[in-house]
Amino acid sequence: MKSVAAYCRVSTDGADQASSFDSQKRFFDQYIRAHAGWTLYRIYADEGISGTSTRHRAAFLQMLEDARAGKFQLILTKEVSRFSRNILDTIAYTRELKRFGIGVCFLNDGIHTLDADAELRLSIMASLAQEESRRTSSRVKWGQQRRMEQGVVFGRAPYGYRLSHGVLDICPEEAEVVRHIFCLYGLERKSVRAIAHALEAEGIPSPSGHPRWSAGYLVKLLRNEKYVGDLVQKKTITPDYLSHARRRNCGEEPLVILREHHPPIVPRALWERVQEELSARRLRAPSPNSPGRTYPLSGKICCARCGAPFLPRQRTDSHGRVYRRWSCQTPGCRPGITLREEQVYDCLRQALATLPLPEQHVAEMIGTLLRGSLPSETERLRLERELAGVEKKLDQVLDACFSGQITQRECDRLCRHYRQTVKQLQTRLEELRQSAVSPPDDGRVLTRISALLRRAGADDEACLLLLAKASVGADRRLTLQLTGLPYRWTFWLPCRRMSATDGDAPSGER
């Protein structure tokens, strides 16, 4: 008895193809039973799978595994196009099966792979099947292009919309969340991480139903043009009809762009404002993974090559001690120069020791800076800046409402929030003024100044108050500039002290 297997496939899962699928299985079952000496091992069937690739054809791959295990001696299939529409796959797999002594019989094409001239005829039929697949793919793409131009939406609906038969409709509950996100970013100028925390605090679930929101998802949401009523399709393309691999459209095919295609969730003025803010923040951010914490040297060390600020990274030395190392993280720059915070402090102390100014003048300057940095004064200045910022945001909300960028309902909600914040800040400022602290301890301040000038102490706070800017070049040159002084100091890393020079001319460049 010869054990015989059969393989059938349909490329779609429609009702008409399902009927063909069932009829193929009934045909093979009857065909094998009608031959004496044959016994049916199994009918392998892939439903709704394309024949241009074998990657997702589970039944086909299982059939190959069973063939290698010698579970049957012959495979029946209707025609070459059912077996594969890729000529390379057709030849490769039939050759492999032939090595195991297993033939493939294509009934409609009259080809049996164990015959002498089977491969020639099989190559011709496989080429025709592949060409037909290419033509089908071309027709489908052409039809999709025409439907896109007519406004039919392909793909999935974004958060805030529902997609039905190619038409986008607004989901009111989700649309309210989308407007809230755009207002928080464009009007209140909050970061995406702060927006994510705010949504989580309000108990609003993410589109996936998870309680946590992703900052990366919020950036994509803010960039999605569908929320302003526009439609841009063909952002991704399938250049190879055999592999079906999708990738970004980088200009290979024209985009299909339709303005005011569907009802918007966000007014155009607010959406454009958010896009400008996204672009501005991306330019200000030197690196996508820049740390969120602020350190004393943050913003004071910059790259002499690209101008971007150095970013810190935590490191551990061989003795297990944690330290911070600063370097340029701008893509395409990265001069490869890193420095530790201790190097900056040491260079700053050496610079102070070479100041060509009377010690009394330096002491007065440092004392002024230290007095201005006392906690009460710093808190007062911070509260005043915050109050001015909130009042400015309140004016922006009113302007946005008058210009139609936001609804009256959203305007009322934001105004209530900002007016409450203004009252809280004014109350804290008044409490701070009423409980004015006693005059600063001049003796403590002068002690810190004297220790700093004699390099007898490690007063990093005073050092950082004096440091205005530090730049690092690719030649391992560190340049320091102090607050209120027309001098610059140049050091070579590791710290080899150079002389202080007047103006902008560094030492050694006479």
Side-chain angles (χ1 to χ4, degrees), residues 297 301-302 310-313 323-328 336-345 347 470-472 476-480 493-495:
L297 287 177
I301 309 175
C302 67
F310 270 34
L311 299 179
R313 293 290 183 269
Y323 65 94
R324 278 192 291 273
R325 189 176 68 184
W326 296 74
S327 62
C328 177
I337 306 300
T338 61
L339 72 160
R340 295 192 182 192
E341 288 189 354
E342 293 79 6
Q343 292 177 295
V344 181
Y345 296 157
C347 291
S471 62
V472 182
R476 304 190 66 82
R477 184 170 58 181
L478 172 65
T479 303
L480 301 181
L493 299 174
C495 298

PDB file of all heavy atoms in Angstrom, residues 297 301-302 310-313 323-328 336-345 347 470-472 476-480 493-495:
ATOM      1  N   LEU A 297      25.735  70.646  37.411  1.00  0.00           N
ATOM      2  CA  LEU A 297      26.450  71.012  36.190  1.00  0.00           C
ATOM      3  C   LEU A 297      25.566  70.959  34.946  1.00  0.00           C
ATOM      4  O   LEU A 297      26.062  71.221  33.849  1.00  0.00           O
ATOM      5  CB  LEU A 297      27.657  70.080  35.988  1.00  0.00           C
ATOM      6  CG  LEU A 297      28.844  70.299  36.918  1.00  0.00           C
ATOM      7  CD1 LEU A 297      29.929  69.262  36.658  1.00  0.00           C
ATOM      8  CD2 LEU A 297      29.414  71.694  36.759  1.00  0.00           C
ATOM      9  N   ILE A 301      28.024  72.614  30.910  1.00  0.00           N
ATOM     10  CA  ILE A 301      29.097  72.029  30.101  1.00  0.00           C
ATOM     11  C   ILE A 301      28.542  71.791  28.702  1.00  0.00           C
ATOM     12  O   ILE A 301      27.486  71.165  28.542  1.00  0.00           O
ATOM     13  CB  ILE A 301      29.588  70.696  30.701  1.00  0.00           C
ATOM     14  CG1 ILE A 301      29.929  70.846  32.177  1.00  0.00           C
ATOM     15  CG2 ILE A 301      30.805  70.189  29.936  1.00  0.00           C
ATOM     16  CD1 ILE A 301      30.296  69.553  32.858  1.00  0.00           C
ATOM     17  N   CYS A 302      29.224  72.298  27.702  1.00  0.00           N
ATOM     18  CA  CYS A 302      28.743  72.143  26.332  1.00  0.00           C
ATOM     19  C   CYS A 302      29.859  71.636  25.434  1.00  0.00           C
ATOM     20  O   CYS A 302      31.050  71.713  25.773  1.00  0.00           O
ATOM     21  CB  CYS A 302      28.174  73.454  25.792  1.00  0.00           C
ATOM     22  SG  CYS A 302      29.396  74.737  25.567  1.00  0.00           S
ATOM     23  N   PHE A 310      26.532  68.829  27.409  1.00  0.00           N
ATOM     24  CA  PHE A 310      26.956  67.488  27.793  1.00  0.00           C
ATOM     25  C   PHE A 310      25.889  66.863  28.694  1.00  0.00           C
ATOM     26  O   PHE A 310      25.223  67.553  29.456  1.00  0.00           O
ATOM     27  CB  PHE A 310      28.283  67.551  28.539  1.00  0.00           C
ATOM     28  CG  PHE A 310      29.488  67.448  27.648  1.00  0.00           C
ATOM     29  CD1 PHE A 310      29.471  67.991  26.379  1.00  0.00           C
ATOM     30  CD2 PHE A 310      30.637  66.809  28.071  1.00  0.00           C
ATOM     31  CE1 PHE A 310      30.574  67.913  25.551  1.00  0.00           C
ATOM     32  CE2 PHE A 310      31.751  66.715  27.253  1.00  0.00           C
ATOM     33  CZ  PHE A 310      31.718  67.275  25.977  1.00  0.00           C
ATOM     34  N   LEU A 311      25.757  65.530  28.599  1.00  0.00           N
ATOM     35  CA  LEU A 311      24.782  64.792  29.398  1.00  0.00           C
ATOM     36  C   LEU A 311      25.505  63.861  30.359  1.00  0.00           C
ATOM     37  O   LEU A 311      26.561  63.309  30.018  1.00  0.00           O
ATOM     38  CB  LEU A 311      23.851  63.994  28.495  1.00  0.00           C
ATOM     39  CG  LEU A 311      23.011  64.803  27.517  1.00  0.00           C
ATOM     40  CD1 LEU A 311      22.153  63.880  26.679  1.00  0.00           C
ATOM     41  CD2 LEU A 311      22.141  65.793  28.250  1.00  0.00           C
ATOM     42  N   PRO A 312      24.922  63.661  31.555  1.00  0.00           N
ATOM     43  CA  PRO A 312      25.583  62.808  32.551  1.00  0.00           C
ATOM     44  C   PRO A 312      25.179  61.351  32.422  1.00  0.00           C
ATOM     45  O   PRO A 312      24.078  61.035  31.986  1.00  0.00           O
ATOM     46  CB  PRO A 312      25.093  63.394  33.872  1.00  0.00           C
ATOM     47  CG  PRO A 312      23.706  63.876  33.554  1.00  0.00           C
ATOM     48  CD  PRO A 312      23.742  64.346  32.114  1.00  0.00           C
ATOM     49  N   ARG A 313      26.065  60.475  32.810  1.00  0.00           N
ATOM     50  CA  ARG A 313      25.779  59.053  32.921  1.00  0.00           C
ATOM     51  C   ARG A 313      26.420  58.529  34.206  1.00  0.00           C
ATOM     52  O   ARG A 313      27.564  58.862  34.521  1.00  0.00           O
ATOM     53  CB  ARG A 313      26.333  58.272  31.714  1.00  0.00           C
ATOM     54  CG  ARG A 313      25.636  58.599  30.398  1.00  0.00           C
ATOM     55  CD  ARG A 313      24.220  58.063  30.382  1.00  0.00           C
ATOM     56  NE  ARG A 313      23.560  58.295  29.118  1.00  0.00           N
ATOM     57  CZ  ARG A 313      22.837  59.369  28.842  1.00  0.00           C
ATOM     58  NH1 ARG A 313      22.719  60.330  29.744  1.00  0.00           N
ATOM     59  NH2 ARG A 313      22.250  59.502  27.665  1.00  0.00           N
ATOM     60  N   TYR A 323      30.049  57.436  40.345  1.00  0.00           N
ATOM     61  CA  TYR A 323      30.392  58.798  39.944  1.00  0.00           C
ATOM     62  C   TYR A 323      29.648  59.131  38.662  1.00  0.00           C
ATOM     63  O   TYR A 323      29.082  58.263  38.005  1.00  0.00           O
ATOM     64  CB  TYR A 323      31.907  58.945  39.735  1.00  0.00           C
ATOM     65  CG  TYR A 323      32.459  58.133  38.591  1.00  0.00           C
ATOM     66  CD1 TYR A 323      32.606  58.693  37.315  1.00  0.00           C
ATOM     67  CD2 TYR A 323      32.820  56.802  38.768  1.00  0.00           C
ATOM     68  CE1 TYR A 323      33.097  57.945  36.263  1.00  0.00           C
ATOM     69  CE2 TYR A 323      33.319  56.052  37.721  1.00  0.00           C
ATOM     70  CZ  TYR A 323      33.463  56.635  36.474  1.00  0.00           C
ATOM     71  OH  TYR A 323      33.949  55.894  35.424  1.00  0.00           O
ATOM     72  N   ARG A 324      29.629  60.423  38.303  1.00  0.00           N
ATOM     73  CA  ARG A 324      28.980  60.870  37.076  1.00  0.00           C
ATOM     74  C   ARG A 324      30.024  61.264  36.053  1.00  0.00           C
ATOM     75  O   ARG A 324      30.988  61.978  36.372  1.00  0.00           O
ATOM     76  CB  ARG A 324      28.032  62.047  37.343  1.00  0.00           C
ATOM     77  CG  ARG A 324      26.683  61.620  37.861  1.00  0.00           C
ATOM     78  CD  ARG A 324      25.693  62.765  37.846  1.00  0.00           C
ATOM     79  NE  ARG A 324      26.025  63.785  38.821  1.00  0.00           N
ATOM     80  CZ  ARG A 324      25.640  63.774  40.085  1.00  0.00           C
ATOM     81  NH1 ARG A 324      24.912  62.761  40.537  1.00  0.00           N
ATOM     82  NH2 ARG A 324      25.971  64.731  40.903  1.00  0.00           N
ATOM     83  N   ARG A 325      29.808  60.797  34.828  1.00  0.00           N
ATOM     84  CA  ARG A 325      30.698  61.121  33.723  1.00  0.00           C
ATOM     85  C   ARG A 325      29.884  61.868  32.670  1.00  0.00           C
ATOM     86  O   ARG A 325      28.796  61.440  32.299  1.00  0.00           O
ATOM     87  CB  ARG A 325      31.303  59.839  33.139  1.00  0.00           C
ATOM     88  CG  ARG A 325      32.410  60.085  32.137  1.00  0.00           C
ATOM     89  CD  ARG A 325      33.008  58.778  31.682  1.00  0.00           C
ATOM     90  NE  ARG A 325      32.060  58.006  30.873  1.00  0.00           N
ATOM     91  CZ  ARG A 325      32.289  56.788  30.414  1.00  0.00           C
ATOM     92  NH1 ARG A 325      33.410  56.174  30.731  1.00  0.00           N
ATOM     93  NH2 ARG A 325      31.391  56.165  29.680  1.00  0.00           N
ATOM     94  N   TRP A 326      30.414  62.970  32.163  1.00  0.00           N
ATOM     95  CA  TRP A 326      29.703  63.838  31.234  1.00  0.00           C
ATOM     96  C   TRP A 326      30.304  63.703  29.834  1.00  0.00           C
ATOM     97  O   TRP A 326      31.521  63.619  29.678  1.00  0.00           O
ATOM     98  CB  TRP A 326      29.784  65.296  31.690  1.00  0.00           C
ATOM     99  CG  TRP A 326      29.105  65.543  33.004  1.00  0.00           C
ATOM    100  CD1 TRP A 326      29.554  65.185  34.236  1.00  0.00           C
ATOM    101  CD2 TRP A 326      27.844  66.172  33.203  1.00  0.00           C
ATOM    102  NE1 TRP A 326      28.664  65.547  35.200  1.00  0.00           N
ATOM    103  CE2 TRP A 326      27.600  66.172  34.601  1.00  0.00           C
ATOM    104  CE3 TRP A 326      26.899  66.739  32.363  1.00  0.00           C
ATOM    105  CZ2 TRP A 326      26.447  66.711  35.157  1.00  0.00           C
ATOM    106  CZ3 TRP A 326      25.757  67.288  32.913  1.00  0.00           C
ATOM    107  CH2 TRP A 326      25.537  67.268  34.293  1.00  0.00           C
ATOM    108  N   SER A 327      29.428  63.689  28.822  1.00  0.00           N
ATOM    109  CA  SER A 327      29.897  63.570  27.438  1.00  0.00           C
ATOM    110  C   SER A 327      28.826  64.099  26.501  1.00  0.00           C
ATOM    111  O   SER A 327      27.668  64.270  26.879  1.00  0.00           O
ATOM    112  CB  SER A 327      30.225  62.109  27.096  1.00  0.00           C
ATOM    113  OG  SER A 327      29.063  61.311  27.207  1.00  0.00           O
ATOM    114  N   CYS A 328      29.222  64.359  25.247  1.00  0.00           N
ATOM    115  CA  CYS A 328      28.290  64.811  24.217  1.00  0.00           C
ATOM    116  C   CYS A 328      27.576  63.595  23.642  1.00  0.00           C
ATOM    117  O   CYS A 328      28.212  62.616  23.254  1.00  0.00           O
ATOM    118  CB  CYS A 328      29.029  65.565  23.115  1.00  0.00           C
ATOM    119  SG  CYS A 328      27.966  66.095  21.752  1.00  0.00           S
ATOM    120  N   GLY A 336      33.966  61.884  21.475  1.00  0.00           N
ATOM    121  CA  GLY A 336      34.616  60.846  22.271  1.00  0.00           C
ATOM    122  C   GLY A 336      35.289  61.355  23.525  1.00  0.00           C
ATOM    123  O   GLY A 336      36.035  60.629  24.163  1.00  0.00           O
ATOM    124  N   ILE A 337      35.064  62.626  23.883  1.00  0.00           N
ATOM    125  CA  ILE A 337      35.684  63.207  25.072  1.00  0.00           C
ATOM    126  C   ILE A 337      34.702  63.115  26.227  1.00  0.00           C
ATOM    127  O   ILE A 337      33.550  63.539  26.113  1.00  0.00           O
ATOM    128  CB  ILE A 337      36.078  64.677  24.837  1.00  0.00           C
ATOM    129  CG1 ILE A 337      36.969  64.794  23.592  1.00  0.00           C
ATOM    130  CG2 ILE A 337      36.781  65.245  26.050  1.00  0.00           C
ATOM    131  CD1 ILE A 337      38.252  64.013  23.693  1.00  0.00           C
ATOM    132  N   THR A 338      35.134  62.558  27.327  1.00  0.00           N
ATOM    133  CA  THR A 338      34.328  62.491  28.539  1.00  0.00           C
ATOM    134  C   THR A 338      35.129  63.080  29.690  1.00  0.00           C
ATOM    135  O   THR A 338      36.360  63.093  29.667  1.00  0.00           O
ATOM    136  CB  THR A 338      33.945  61.041  28.871  1.00  0.00           C
ATOM    137  OG1 THR A 338      35.142  60.282  29.099  1.00  0.00           O
ATOM    138  CG2 THR A 338      33.150  60.418  27.732  1.00  0.00           C
ATOM    139  N   LEU A 339      34.419  63.582  30.683  1.00  0.00           N
ATOM    140  CA  LEU A 339      35.096  64.107  31.864  1.00  0.00           C
ATOM    141  C   LEU A 339      34.237  63.879  33.089  1.00  0.00           C
ATOM    142  O   LEU A 339      33.006  63.819  32.999  1.00  0.00           O
ATOM    143  CB  LEU A 339      35.410  65.594  31.706  1.00  0.00           C
ATOM    144  CG  LEU A 339      34.252  66.607  31.781  1.00  0.00           C
ATOM    145  CD1 LEU A 339      34.811  67.978  32.096  1.00  0.00           C
ATOM    146  CD2 LEU A 339      33.496  66.659  30.474  1.00  0.00           C
ATOM    147  N   ARG A 340      34.915  63.752  34.221  1.00  0.00           N
ATOM    148  CA  ARG A 340      34.226  63.578  35.485  1.00  0.00           C
ATOM    149  C   ARG A 340      33.939  64.929  36.118  1.00  0.00           C
ATOM    150  O   ARG A 340      34.587  65.929  35.814  1.00  0.00           O
ATOM    151  CB  ARG A 340      35.075  62.751  36.446  1.00  0.00           C
ATOM    152  CG  ARG A 340      35.311  61.317  36.012  1.00  0.00           C
ATOM    153  CD  ARG A 340      35.890  60.530  37.169  1.00  0.00           C
ATOM    154  NE  ARG A 340      36.178  59.152  36.817  1.00  0.00           N
ATOM    155  CZ  ARG A 340      36.481  58.205  37.700  1.00  0.00           C
ATOM    156  NH1 ARG A 340      36.533  58.502  38.988  1.00  0.00           N
ATOM    157  NH2 ARG A 340      36.734  56.979  37.307  1.00  0.00           N
ATOM    158  N   GLU A 341      32.949  64.946  37.020  1.00  0.00           N
ATOM    159  CA  GLU A 341      32.632  66.189  37.704  1.00  0.00           C
ATOM    160  C   GLU A 341      33.823  66.688  38.515  1.00  0.00           C
ATOM    161  O   GLU A 341      34.056  67.903  38.607  1.00  0.00           O
ATOM    162  CB  GLU A 341      31.424  65.980  38.620  1.00  0.00           C
ATOM    163  CG  GLU A 341      30.114  65.824  37.873  1.00  0.00           C
ATOM    164  CD  GLU A 341      28.930  65.834  38.809  1.00  0.00           C
ATOM    165  OE1 GLU A 341      29.148  65.843  40.034  1.00  0.00           O
ATOM    166  OE2 GLU A 341      27.785  65.841  38.310  1.00  0.00           O
ATOM    167  N   GLU A 342      34.593  65.756  39.100  1.00  0.00           N
ATOM    168  CA  GLU A 342      35.729  66.171  39.927  1.00  0.00           C
ATOM    169  C   GLU A 342      36.743  66.962  39.117  1.00  0.00           C
ATOM    170  O   GLU A 342      37.400  67.871  39.636  1.00  0.00           O
ATOM    171  CB  GLU A 342      36.399  64.942  40.544  1.00  0.00           C
ATOM    172  CG  GLU A 342      35.567  64.198  41.562  1.00  0.00           C
ATOM    173  CD  GLU A 342      34.515  63.306  40.914  1.00  0.00           C
ATOM    174  OE1 GLU A 342      34.534  63.196  39.673  1.00  0.00           O
ATOM    175  OE2 GLU A 342      33.684  62.736  41.631  1.00  0.00           O
ATOM    176  N   GLN A 343      36.869  66.640  37.822  1.00  0.00           N
ATOM    177  CA  GLN A 343      37.805  67.383  36.983  1.00  0.00           C
ATOM    178  C   GLN A 343      37.358  68.832  36.811  1.00  0.00           C
ATOM    179  O   GLN A 343      38.183  69.746  36.842  1.00  0.00           O
ATOM    180  CB  GLN A 343      37.930  66.711  35.617  1.00  0.00           C
ATOM    181  CG  GLN A 343      38.618  65.354  35.650  1.00  0.00           C
ATOM    182  CD  GLN A 343      38.637  64.717  34.277  1.00  0.00           C
ATOM    183  OE1 GLN A 343      37.598  64.377  33.724  1.00  0.00           O
ATOM    184  NE2 GLN A 343      39.830  64.538  33.729  1.00  0.00           N
ATOM    185  N   VAL A 344      36.049  69.036  36.639  1.00  0.00           N
ATOM    186  CA  VAL A 344      35.544  70.404  36.491  1.00  0.00           C
ATOM    187  C   VAL A 344      35.769  71.196  37.767  1.00  0.00           C
ATOM    188  O   VAL A 344      36.220  72.349  37.737  1.00  0.00           O
ATOM    189  CB  VAL A 344      34.053  70.378  36.122  1.00  0.00           C
ATOM    190  CG1 VAL A 344      33.519  71.796  35.952  1.00  0.00           C
ATOM    191  CG2 VAL A 344      33.830  69.594  34.848  1.00  0.00           C
ATOM    192  N   TYR A 345      35.455  70.591  38.932  1.00  0.00           N
ATOM    193  CA  TYR A 345      35.650  71.284  40.195  1.00  0.00           C
ATOM    194  C   TYR A 345      37.119  71.638  40.404  1.00  0.00           C
ATOM    195  O   TYR A 345      37.449  72.745  40.843  1.00  0.00           O
ATOM    196  CB  TYR A 345      35.161  70.410  41.361  1.00  0.00           C
ATOM    197  CG  TYR A 345      33.681  70.109  41.340  1.00  0.00           C
ATOM    198  CD1 TYR A 345      33.162  69.004  41.996  1.00  0.00           C
ATOM    199  CD2 TYR A 345      32.796  70.930  40.664  1.00  0.00           C
ATOM    200  CE1 TYR A 345      31.799  68.723  41.977  1.00  0.00           C
ATOM    201  CE2 TYR A 345      31.440  70.659  40.638  1.00  0.00           C
ATOM    202  CZ  TYR A 345      30.948  69.558  41.295  1.00  0.00           C
ATOM    203  OH  TYR A 345      29.619  69.292  41.265  1.00  0.00           O
ATOM    204  N   CYS A 347      39.493  72.064  38.159  1.00  0.00           N
ATOM    205  CA  CYS A 347      39.915  73.127  37.240  1.00  0.00           C
ATOM    206  C   CYS A 347      39.377  74.475  37.689  1.00  0.00           C
ATOM    207  O   CYS A 347      40.051  75.505  37.569  1.00  0.00           O
ATOM    208  CB  CYS A 347      39.435  72.811  35.831  1.00  0.00           C
ATOM    209  SG  CYS A 347      40.248  71.416  35.047  1.00  0.00           S
ATOM    210  N   ALA A 470      31.306  76.012  30.647  1.00  0.00           N
ATOM    211  CA  ALA A 470      32.491  75.190  30.383  1.00  0.00           C
ATOM    212  C   ALA A 470      32.279  74.504  29.042  1.00  0.00           C
ATOM    213  O   ALA A 470      31.224  73.931  28.794  1.00  0.00           O
ATOM    214  CB  ALA A 470      32.700  74.160  31.488  1.00  0.00           C
ATOM    215  N   SER A 471      33.271  74.599  28.162  1.00  0.00           N
ATOM    216  CA  SER A 471      33.165  73.954  26.852  1.00  0.00           C
ATOM    217  C   SER A 471      34.325  72.983  26.686  1.00  0.00           C
ATOM    218  O   SER A 471      35.443  73.235  27.141  1.00  0.00           O
ATOM    219  CB  SER A 471      33.185  74.990  25.722  1.00  0.00           C
ATOM    220  OG  SER A 471      34.409  75.698  25.710  1.00  0.00           O
ATOM    221  N   VAL A 472      34.027  71.865  26.009  1.00  0.00           N
ATOM    222  CA  VAL A 472      35.015  70.805  25.810  1.00  0.00           C
ATOM    223  C   VAL A 472      35.152  70.568  24.314  1.00  0.00           C
ATOM    224  O   VAL A 472      34.155  70.335  23.618  1.00  0.00           O
ATOM    225  CB  VAL A 472      34.594  69.497  26.517  1.00  0.00           C
ATOM    226  CG1 VAL A 472      35.662  68.435  26.342  1.00  0.00           C
ATOM    227  CG2 VAL A 472      34.337  69.759  27.995  1.00  0.00           C
ATOM    228  N   ARG A 476      40.574  67.714  23.427  1.00  0.00           N
ATOM    229  CA  ARG A 476      40.689  67.520  24.875  1.00  0.00           C
ATOM    230  C   ARG A 476      41.032  68.816  25.593  1.00  0.00           C
ATOM    231  O   ARG A 476      41.754  68.835  26.574  1.00  0.00           O
ATOM    232  CB  ARG A 476      41.721  66.439  25.215  1.00  0.00           C
ATOM    233  CG  ARG A 476      41.456  65.108  24.558  1.00  0.00           C
ATOM    234  CD  ARG A 476      42.362  64.035  25.121  1.00  0.00           C
ATOM    235  NE  ARG A 476      42.064  63.777  26.524  1.00  0.00           N
ATOM    236  CZ  ARG A 476      41.083  62.998  26.961  1.00  0.00           C
ATOM    237  NH1 ARG A 476      40.300  62.387  26.094  1.00  0.00           N
ATOM    238  NH2 ARG A 476      40.880  62.822  28.254  1.00  0.00           N
ATOM    239  N   ARG A 477      40.460  69.923  25.099  1.00  0.00           N
ATOM    240  CA  ARG A 477      40.694  71.220  25.718  1.00  0.00           C
ATOM    241  C   ARG A 477      39.434  71.662  26.444  1.00  0.00           C
ATOM    242  O   ARG A 477      38.359  71.755  25.849  1.00  0.00           O
ATOM    243  CB  ARG A 477      41.096  72.249  24.663  1.00  0.00           C
ATOM    244  CG  ARG A 477      41.455  73.616  25.246  1.00  0.00           C
ATOM    245  CD  ARG A 477      42.059  74.500  24.193  1.00  0.00           C
ATOM    246  NE  ARG A 477      41.155  74.690  23.068  1.00  0.00           N
ATOM    247  CZ  ARG A 477      41.463  75.419  22.004  1.00  0.00           C
ATOM    248  NH1 ARG A 477      42.660  75.985  21.916  1.00  0.00           N
ATOM    249  NH2 ARG A 477      40.591  75.557  21.021  1.00  0.00           N
ATOM    250  N   LEU A 478      39.554  71.953  27.734  1.00  0.00           N
ATOM    251  CA  LEU A 478      38.453  72.407  28.574  1.00  0.00           C
ATOM    252  C   LEU A 478      38.619  73.894  28.825  1.00  0.00           C
ATOM    253  O   LEU A 478      39.652  74.340  29.333  1.00  0.00           O
ATOM    254  CB  LEU A 478      38.431  71.644  29.900  1.00  0.00           C
ATOM    255  CG  LEU A 478      37.453  72.147  30.974  1.00  0.00           C
ATOM    256  CD1 LEU A 478      36.019  71.973  30.514  1.00  0.00           C
ATOM    257  CD2 LEU A 478      37.687  71.423  32.297  1.00  0.00           C
ATOM    258  N   THR A 479      37.593  74.685  28.464  1.00  0.00           N
ATOM    259  CA  THR A 479      37.620  76.140  28.627  1.00  0.00           C
ATOM    260  C   THR A 479      36.559  76.532  29.628  1.00  0.00           C
ATOM    261  O   THR A 479      35.394  76.157  29.497  1.00  0.00           O
ATOM    262  CB  THR A 479      37.377  76.852  27.290  1.00  0.00           C
ATOM    263  OG1 THR A 479      38.347  76.420  26.347  1.00  0.00           O
ATOM    264  CG2 THR A 479      37.483  78.355  27.456  1.00  0.00           C
ATOM    265  N   LEU A 480      36.953  77.310  30.643  1.00  0.00           N
ATOM    266  CA  LEU A 480      36.047  77.751  31.693  1.00  0.00           C
ATOM    267  C   LEU A 480      35.839  79.254  31.601  1.00  0.00           C
ATOM    268  O   LEU A 480      36.763  80.006  31.272  1.00  0.00           O
ATOM    269  CB  LEU A 480      36.610  77.410  33.078  1.00  0.00           C
ATOM    270  CG  LEU A 480      36.901  75.934  33.388  1.00  0.00           C
ATOM    271  CD1 LEU A 480      37.430  75.800  34.802  1.00  0.00           C
ATOM    272  CD2 LEU A 480      35.668  75.095  33.195  1.00  0.00           C
ATOM    273  N   LEU A 493      42.765  68.144  29.145  1.00  0.00           N
ATOM    274  CA  LEU A 493      42.326  66.957  29.882  1.00  0.00           C
ATOM    275  C   LEU A 493      43.291  65.800  29.645  1.00  0.00           C
ATOM    276  O   LEU A 493      43.630  65.526  28.482  1.00  0.00           O
ATOM    277  CB  LEU A 493      40.915  66.550  29.438  1.00  0.00           C
ATOM    278  CG  LEU A 493      39.830  67.598  29.683  1.00  0.00           C
ATOM    279  CD1 LEU A 493      38.531  67.142  29.070  1.00  0.00           C
ATOM    280  CD2 LEU A 493      39.659  67.841  31.174  1.00  0.00           C
ATOM    281  N   PRO A 494      43.693  65.078  30.699  1.00  0.00           N
ATOM    282  CA  PRO A 494      43.403  65.349  32.108  1.00  0.00           C
ATOM    283  C   PRO A 494      44.019  66.661  32.568  1.00  0.00           C
ATOM    284  O   PRO A 494      44.918  67.170  31.918  1.00  0.00           O
ATOM    285  CB  PRO A 494      44.021  64.150  32.836  1.00  0.00           C
ATOM    286  CG  PRO A 494      45.085  63.666  31.927  1.00  0.00           C
ATOM    287  CD  PRO A 494      44.589  63.924  30.530  1.00  0.00           C
ATOM    288  N   CYS A 495      43.460  67.204  33.663  1.00  0.00           N
ATOM    289  CA  CYS A 495      43.620  68.604  34.022  1.00  0.00           C
ATOM    290  C   CYS A 495      45.078  69.007  34.154  1.00  0.00           C
ATOM    291  O   CYS A 495      45.741  68.710  35.143  1.00  0.00           O
ATOM    292  CB  CYS A 495      42.890  68.893  35.331  1.00  0.00           C
ATOM    293  SG  CYS A 495      41.129  68.598  35.202  1.00  0.00           S
TER     294      CYS A 495
END
